[in-house]
């Protein structure tokens, strides 16, 4: 463990992963990324509700009691280190078993927590982002849609493209060329005084900040959010575009190819709601 990070496996500090590991071999597990503020993991219940859905989808044993305990321990560590901001990666991996795809009967999940110091003030909204359109399309798989399973190769390839094109993020489409998300977050656009976000049925992840925007933050500023089918052409008529994720909360979009946006008032208002929740 370095000065600015710490790792625990099943509650024990470690720097190695015992093999065999089904997360490494098959991506057989789930993960959550939590923002930690002065030792407090934020919006824990939303993350654990989504993880519970993932445990059910993958037929993994309910281990959330142990997860809660280990989140508390990691938070206490961050508080002792006096880290204003940290990122916590929580992984629940199906326990090891015999060679092959079939899992062992009654295997016990491994709980892996990786906590890292964040050298930026997450209480301030990030600068406006530039986007490209990912060449890869998200696969259609309703049984795995909406949860955060460990298989993220599509997102890795989209992020690599954004890096190669010197943009901050990638818009990702589904197999029918409808908008799905960005590589690491959920997409929103404002049109006619209404917030719209892609309906996620066959692919994509239901983000915790997406849920907060839909259920709490947007209504608090007088905006309804509709989950609808959207295409790239819908962005051309949008008055404002932004995306959300756990680490940036909401981030305004300034440009996608030749399309530019300089109005970020809704994004700014939503971020103020996040700041109020921190108080």
């Amino acid at each position: 463990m370095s000065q600015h990070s710490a790792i625990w496996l099943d509650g024990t500090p470690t720097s190695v992963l015992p093999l065999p590991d089904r997360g490494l071999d098959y991506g057989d597990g789930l993960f959550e990324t939590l923002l930690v503020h002065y030792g407090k993991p934020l919006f824990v219940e939303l993350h654990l509700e989504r993880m519970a859905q993932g445990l059910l989808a993958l037929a993994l044993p309910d281990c959330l009691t142990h997860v809660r305990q280990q989140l508390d321990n990691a938070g206490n560590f961050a508080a002792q280190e006096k880290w204003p901001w940290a990122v916590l990666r929580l992984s629940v991996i199906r326990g090891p078993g015999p060679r092959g795809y079939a899992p062992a009967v009654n295997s016990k999940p491994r709980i892996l927590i990786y906590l890292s110091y964040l050298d930026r003030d997450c209480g301030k909204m990030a600068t406006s982002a530039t986007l490209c359109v990912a060449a890869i399309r998200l696969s259609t798989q309703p049984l795995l849609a909406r949860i955060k399973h460990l298989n993220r190769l599509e997102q890795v390839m989209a992020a690599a493209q954004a890096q190669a094109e010197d943009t901050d993020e990638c818009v990702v489409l589904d197999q029918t060329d409808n908008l799905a998300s960005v590589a690491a977050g959920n997409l929103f656009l404002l049109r006619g005084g209404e917030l719209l976000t892609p309906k996620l049925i066959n692919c994509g992840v239901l983000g915790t900040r997406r849920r907060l925007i839909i259920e709490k933050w947007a209504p608090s500023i007088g905006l309804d959010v509709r989950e609808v089918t959207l295409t790239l052409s819908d962005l051309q008529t949008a008055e404002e575009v932004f995306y959300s994720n756990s680490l940036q909360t909401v981030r305004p979009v300034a440009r996608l190819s030749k399309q530019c946006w300089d109005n970020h008032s809704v994004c700014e208002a939503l971020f103020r709601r996040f700041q109020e929740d921190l108080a």
Side-chain angles (χ1 to χ4, degrees), residues 178-215:
N178 291 320
L179 294 177
S181 63
V182 293
N186 293 116
L187 191 63
F188 289 84
L189 61 90
L190 179 71
R191 190 173 63 192
E194 186 178 42
L195 264 183
L196 306 176
T197 192
K199 184 185 297 184
L200 301 178
I201 297 175
N202 295 318
C203 61
V205 174
L206 295 180
T208 58
R209 303 317 187 257
R210 178 185 188 271
R211 181 175 171 186
L212 281 165
I213 291 167
I214 293 172
E215 297 180 3

Side-chain angles (χ1 to χ4, degrees), residues 9 17 21-33 50-51 54-55 57-58 60 89-95 109-114 143-157 204-205:
L9 179 63
L17 183 65
D21 179 79
R22 290 184 64 89
L24 176 63
D25 291 343
Y26 308 120
D28 189 2
L30 305 161
F31 79 100
E32 294 286 331
T33 302
R50 182 172 60 190
M51 177 159 276
L55 292 172
L58 298 187
L60 284 165
R89 160 81 181 229
L90 161 68
S91 300
V92 172
I93 307 164
R94 196 186 306 270
R110 289 172 168 170
I111 301 172
L112 181 67
I113 289 180
Y114 180 22
L143 291 178
L144 296 179
R146 301 178 294 280
I147 65 173
K148 291 200 78 171
H149 54 79
L150 292 178
N151 295 271
R152 295 290 124 189
L153 277 179
E154 294 165 334
Q155 288 75 16
V156 168
M157 294 177 69
V205 174

Side-chain angles (χ1 to χ4, degrees), residues 34-37 40-45 47 85 209 274 278:
L34 288 81
L35 184 61
V36 181
H37 184 45
K40 179 185 177 182
L42 300 181
F43 310 113
V44 169
E45 293 308 316
H47 285 282
W85 296 98
R209 303 317 187 257
F274 163 69
L278 289 180

Side-chain angles (χ1 to χ4, degrees), residues 60-132:
L60 284 165
D62 183 358
C63 55
L64 293 185
T65 298
H66 297 297
V67 166
R68 289 179 186 275
Q69 294 170 348
Q70 294 182 36
L71 287 177
D72 288 342
N73 292 338
N76 291 336
F77 178 91
Q80 292 167 7
E81 294 294 313
K82 298 181 179 179
W83 291 349
W85 296 98
V87 55
L88 188 154
R89 160 81 181 229
L90 161 68
S91 300
V92 172
I93 307 164
R94 196 186 306 270
R99 189 192 66 80
Y101 290 132
V105 178
N106 298 324
S107 63
K108 180 181 177 182
R110 289 172 168 170
I111 301 172
L112 181 67
I113 289 180
Y114 180 22
L115 182 71
S116 302
Y117 172 77
L118 272 178
D119 189 18
R120 66 179 181 87
D121 186 357
C122 297
K124 295 180 179 179
M125 193 171 74
T127 57
S128 301
T130 57
L131 305 182
C132 62

Side-chain angles (χ1 to χ4, degrees), residues 183-261:
N186 293 116
L187 191 63
F188 289 84
L189 61 90
L190 179 71
R191 190 173 63 192
E194 186 178 42
L195 264 183
L196 306 176
T197 192
K199 184 185 297 184
L200 301 178
I201 297 175
N202 295 318
C203 61
V205 174
L206 295 180
T208 58
R209 303 317 187 257
R210 178 185 188 271
R211 181 175 171 186
L212 281 165
I213 291 167
I214 293 172
E215 297 180 3
K216 180 181 179 182
W217 293 341
S220 75
I221 61 172
L223 281 176
D224 293 324
V225 184
R226 278 203 303 134
E227 300 173 69
V228 296
T229 299
L230 296 167
T231 65
L232 278 172
S233 63
D234 288 306
L235 291 175
Q236 297 173 359
T237 58
E239 300 147 27
E240 182 178 349
V241 177
F242 62 90
Y243 61 88
S244 64
N245 63 34
S246 293
L247 300 187
Q248 296 176 327
T249 304
V250 288
R251 185 173 184 181
V253 172
R255 178 174 58 83
L256 171 62
S257 186
K258 296 181 180 180
Q259 185 81 21
C260 296
W261 297 272

